[in-house]
Amino acid sequence: MSSPHLLLTGDRLALGMPRDEMLAEYHKWETDPGTILGRGSRFPQAWEAHAEEWDRQLDDRDHARFEVVRLKDKQPIGLTALRVDPRERRAEFTIFLAPHQRGKRFAEEATRLTLDWGFHLAGLRAVWLKVLEPNRAGITAFEKAGFRPTGRFRKSGHWLGQHVDEVLMDALIEEFPGPSAMCTALGT
C-alpha cells in the first residue's frame, strides 16, 4: 500500500488524497451498519455501484473528497467530502469514519480541517450538512467544529425503526473557530 499523500495537517489528523487502492476498505466502512444508520441510509450499497460512483466522482471537479489520516501511524480512518455548488460558493459536507475509530473524538478535527480547506483555499461562503436528530455525538462534534443548527426536516429521517427529524446545520467563514491550519501551513 502506498503512503498517504497528506494535504493539510492538524493536531492528531490530516486530510489526504483518497486512494484507489483503499476503495475496498472505504466500502467496508460505508457498509457497516453503524455508518448506514448514521447516514440515514437504509441498505448497503453494492460493490459495483460503489466503484462506479467512485469513478464518476473522480471526474467531478465540484466533488472534493479527502482521506482522513491519523498522524501517529499514517493510517486512514475515514473520508470527508464537500459537494460544491460553484455558483453559490457553498457545499454540502459529509463524513464517515471507520467503525473502530468512532468515539475517539476524531470527527470534530476531521470536520474542522475540511471546513478550513473549504473556507480558506476553496473560497466557499458556507458549508452545510444534514444529521439525524438522535445522532447526538455527531451533532456535538459538528457544533465544536463550527456548525450551527439552522432548521430541520421534520420526521424525514429514519433511526432504528423510528421516524426522526433531520437537523440542518451550516457553517460560515466568519464563525470558523480557528486557528486555521491552512493559513498556518501557507504562512499567512
Side-chain angles (χ1 to χ4, degrees):
M1 179 183 332
S2 66
S3 296
H5 175 171
L6 303 182
L7 302 168
L8 182 61
T9 302
D11 295 328
R12 298 188 304 156
L13 302 176
L15 296 182
M17 293 295 297
R19 297 173 281 167
D20 284 341
E21 66 195 63
M22 288 293 300
L23 189 56
E25 190 69 16
Y26 300 155
H27 185 251
K28 283 184 201 174
W29 300 343
E30 281 189 275
T31 56
D32 174 77
T35 304
I36 292 169
L37 176 67
R39 295 183 90 173
S41 303
R42 297 184 324 158
F43 301 103
Q45 186 179 45
W47 166 255
E48 295 80 9
H50 179 75
E52 185 178 303
E53 182 178 338
W54 179 266
D55 288 341
R56 189 173 47 253
Q57 290 174 356
L58 285 176
D59 295 329
D60 186 352
R61 295 180 54 89
D62 296 324
H63 191 114
R65 294 178 300 195
F66 300 98
E67 184 177 76
V68 179
V69 178
R70 190 175 50 217
L71 286 172
K72 73 176 183 177
D73 57 6
K74 302 293 190 275
Q75 289 301 304
I77 64 161
L79 287 174
T80 64
L82 293 169
R83 185 163 302 172
V84 177
D85 178 341
R87 290 186 317 197
E88 300 295 332
R89 290 187 34 229
R90 67 178 171 223
E92 179 183 10
F93 171 78
T94 57
I95 182 173
F96 66 87
L97 296 177
H100 58 285
Q101 299 301 328
R102 296 182 195 134
K104 299 179 181 181
R105 302 181 54 97
F106 289 139
E108 178 187 343
E109 186 174 358
T111 300
R112 185 187 309 258
L113 286 169
T114 307
L115 283 175
D116 197 353
W117 186 286
F119 289 142
H120 297 107
L121 196 60
L124 299 174
R125 292 185 306 107
V127 178
W128 65 278
L129 61 81
K130 293 184 297 187
V131 59
L132 296 173
E133 187 173 44
N135 186 353
R136 297 305 312 160
I139 290 170
T140 299
F142 299 141
E143 287 178 333
K144 288 181 177 179
F147 281 93
R148 301 291 171 257
T150 59
R152 62 184 56 237
F153 291 126
R154 297 181 301 155
K155 305 295 182 196
S156 63
H158 185 266
W159 185 274
L160 298 175
Q162 301 295 312
H163 293 285
V164 298
D165 291 357
E166 287 181 291
V167 177
L168 301 173
M169 303 179 82
D170 72 0
L172 304 173
I173 190 169
E174 301 87 37
E175 300 167 351
F176 184 76
S180 167
M182 181 61 70
C183 292
T184 300
L186 296 175
T188 59

